[in-house]
Amino acid sequence: MFDRQKKGDRAVLVLPHSRGEGDTTRRGEEFAELVKSAGAEVLGVVAARVEDPNPRYYIGSGKANEVAEAVLALEADVVLVDHELTPVQERNLEKLLNVRVVDRAGLILDIFALRARSHEGKLEVELAQLKHVATRLVRGWTHLDTQRGGLIGNRGPGETQLELDRRLLGERVKMLTKRLEKVQTQRSQQRRARLRNTVPRVALVGYTNAGKSTLFNALTTGDVYAADLLFATLDPTVRKLEDLSCGPAVLADTVGFIRELPHDLVAAFRATLAEARDADLLLHVSDAADDERERLHRVVDKVLDEIDAGDLPQLQIMNKIDVAGIEPRIDRDAAGKPVRVWLSAATGAGIDLLRQALGELLGGERVQSALQLPLTAGRLHARLKAAGAITGETVDEHGWQLVIDAPRSVIAPLSGGDAAETRLLRELLAQPE
């Protein structure tokens, strides 16, 4: 076996592709950007056509030998493969190449570990990394078949080092899971507090490097780090959004999405992505200058479906119009409702149009009215209060006099009581805004 290096930043890239993929140039460029985000230097690229994956190396044996020659000639210390490898394939390639081999999932996890800043983000990344490593413990270690034993008082087969490592890893996973559950509880309490304040919630989503963080900074007084790197920011940031015709709102910046995001990472970041799942409106940011924006849009929608946010209302934001040479504008549907805003977060062109669209959408989706509830409608009163829909109330012998101010999407599902309560809710929702 080879000796592992603590750091490997001289890389040879392996780009598998199949006949049906069409133009693979964009995919290769994106993988190179991932490598750049990880801080590695690309020495060479080997394209490998894979129609029937080789169970030993994933790529063919001839292509694997070609990669080995490139590694020797370029003196690389890591090979990065733009595909998910099985533990066996990864181990076999490392034996053949005598350098570290990292697949796409491992590379993305490494970038997330590099970018995470908050306590919650670090816990989520480490948990995802440990789950990824759990099936790969055997690779890269030469002592895992040795057994404790042979000493007086400690004879017998003992416990293999591999079993020890797996047990320790399992204990670490349990500990991280408990810590993360505690942090998630705290974050959910913060979200419930925002619900009680009846402030509309808006979340930025989109493919990584679409300009979400730049747009966040342009809309708020936030100072979120923004750079021309994939996954430049990971941790969610929430700021107050003011100067809207509908009143203040809350804006959240979330992690960027990417194709073939590791499953463990999506699962671990459910808490972070809950900012998107709990939003009243999603701002789906796309790069207007990107010819493949429709395909990337579908990738984002797929991840939103995975976190149960696929059915939330969306406003499409076509960013970077300064690069595409497009004038700022609002696209509307047949009913006059804003569906798309063209802008440049970098120059500020069209930001005022986005504020206008947000005011229309959030204002039109809120119920602001007085409501008289009889004392017999205690269950409905409790549901309205729990949903944060009541902003003021008085009570006398006739019942509650309530002031309601909440998103229509919060009030509408509260029916389900008796017929009288259902009628009261319907009358409330039917009142003009």
Side-chain angles (χ1 to χ4, degrees), residues 332-387:
R332 300 176 181 272
D333 61 14
K337 180 179 178 181
V339 294
R340 188 178 297 105
V341 178
W342 299 76
L343 55 79
S344 170
T347 66
I351 295 295
D352 55 336
L353 295 179
L354 174 56
R355 290 184 179 278
Q356 176 187 334
L358 287 174
E360 294 180 30
L361 292 173
L362 297 176
E365 294 295 328
R366 295 185 73 78
V367 176
Q368 298 173 313
S369 177
L371 176 64
Q372 175 84 28
L373 282 185
L375 293 176
T376 55
R379 288 177 299 180
L380 177 57
H381 176 266
R383 288 197 294 273
L384 287 168
K385 194 166 188 177

Side-chain angles (χ1 to χ4, degrees), residues 37 50 61 85 90 92 239 259 267 305 333 346 357 365 378 394 402:
S37 295
V50 179
S61 56
L85 302 175
E90 199 168 301
N92 289 338
R239 294 286 186 274
R259 64 176 177 82
D305 287 336
D333 61 14
E365 294 295 328
T394 58
L402 305 178

Side-chain angles (χ1 to χ4, degrees), residues 18 37 166 224 253 279:
S18 59
S37 295
R166 282 178 174 164
V224 173
D253 184 24

Side-chain angles (χ1 to χ4, degrees), residues 22 49 123 140 151 165 255 285 298 315-316 329 372 380:
R49 182 168 168 176
L123 289 177
L151 299 177
D165 288 348
V255 62
V285 184
R298 291 193 294 271
L315 174 64
Q316 291 187 31
R329 69 174 189 270
Q372 175 84 28
L380 177 57

Side-chain angles (χ1 to χ4, degrees), residues 172-249:
R172 179 68 177 171
V173 167
K174 290 180 181 178
M175 183 189 70
L176 288 174
T177 301
K178 289 181 180 179
R179 287 185 180 178
L180 196 53
E181 288 174 353
K182 183 177 180 180
V183 175
Q184 290 169 357
T185 299
Q186 295 171 345
R187 186 173 287 277
S188 65
Q189 290 171 347
Q190 294 171 354
R191 284 196 296 271
R192 282 198 297 271
R194 293 200 295 273
L195 275 173
R196 287 195 295 271
N197 291 334
T198 66
V199 177
R201 293 150 296 155
V202 182
L204 291 166
V205 298
Y207 206 79
T208 186
N209 211 24
K212 298 190 310 327
S213 296
T214 303
L215 179 59
F216 181 88
N217 290 335
L219 285 170
T220 70
T221 56
D223 54 355
V224 173
Y225 176 69
D228 188 19
L229 290 172
L230 301 187
F231 302 122
T233 54
L234 295 182
D235 301 311
T237 305
V238 180
R239 294 286 186 274
K240 193 174 183 179
L241 184 58
E242 298 181 302
D243 299 327
L244 301 179
S245 61
C246 63

Side-chain angles (χ1 to χ4, degrees), residues 19-230:
R19 179 184 299 133
E21 288 189 44
D23 184 14
T24 59
T25 303
R26 171 59 184 266
R27 180 175 181 133
E29 291 175 350
E30 181 183 277
F31 191 62
E33 286 297 317
L34 279 175
V35 176
K36 174 185 174 183
S37 295
E41 177 189 0
V42 178
L43 301 180
V45 177
V46 177
R49 182 168 168 176
V50 179
E51 300 297 341
D52 187 15
N54 185 334
R56 184 174 178 82
Y57 300 124
Y58 181 74
I59 59 177
S61 56
K63 189 61 69 171
N65 290 328
E66 181 181 335
V67 175
E69 294 173 0
V71 168
L72 286 174
L74 299 173
E75 299 181 353
D77 46 30
V78 63
V79 170
L80 303 173
V81 183
D82 187 22
H83 199 279
E84 188 168 354
L85 302 175
T86 66
V88 172
Q89 290 167 344
E90 199 168 301
R91 183 171 66 249
N92 289 338
L93 279 172
E94 288 188 334
K95 287 180 179 179
L96 175 67
L97 306 177
N98 200 36
V99 295
R100 291 185 304 116
V101 174
V102 180
D103 66 358
R104 181 182 178 84
L107 178 62
I108 294 176
L109 287 170
D110 183 76
I111 296 171
F112 271 57
L114 185 66
R115 297 280 189 270
R117 291 293 180 267
S118 70
H119 178 60
E120 180 183 17
K122 291 177 180 178
L123 289 177
E124 288 170 329
V125 170
E126 184 178 354
L127 182 61
Q129 282 183 314
L130 290 178
K131 289 181 177 180
H132 181 73
V133 166
T135 57
R136 289 163 163 78
L137 271 179
V138 70
R139 70 178 181 87
W141 295 86
T142 58
H143 64 285
L144 296 185
D145 56 351
T146 63
Q147 294 180 326
R148 299 175 62 189
L151 299 177
I152 295 175
N154 194 28
R155 298 187 188 278
E159 185 176 24
T160 66
Q161 183 66 45
L162 177 58
E163 290 168 343
L164 277 173
D165 288 348
R166 282 178 174 164
R167 180 161 54 82
L168 290 173
L169 186 147
E171 291 172 356
R172 179 68 177 171
V173 167
K174 290 180 181 178
M175 183 189 70
L176 288 174
T177 301
K178 289 181 180 179
R179 287 185 180 178
L180 196 53
E181 288 174 353
K182 183 177 180 180
V183 175
Q184 290 169 357
T185 299
Q186 295 171 345
R187 186 173 287 277
S188 65
Q189 290 171 347
Q190 294 171 354
R191 284 196 296 271
R192 282 198 297 271
R194 293 200 295 273
L195 275 173
R196 287 195 295 271
N197 291 334
T198 66
V199 177
R201 293 150 296 155
V202 182
L204 291 166
V205 298
Y207 206 79
T208 186
N209 211 24
K212 298 190 310 327
S213 296
T214 303
L215 179 59
F216 181 88
N217 290 335
L219 285 170
T220 70
T221 56
D223 54 355
V224 173
Y225 176 69
D228 188 19
L229 290 172
L230 301 187

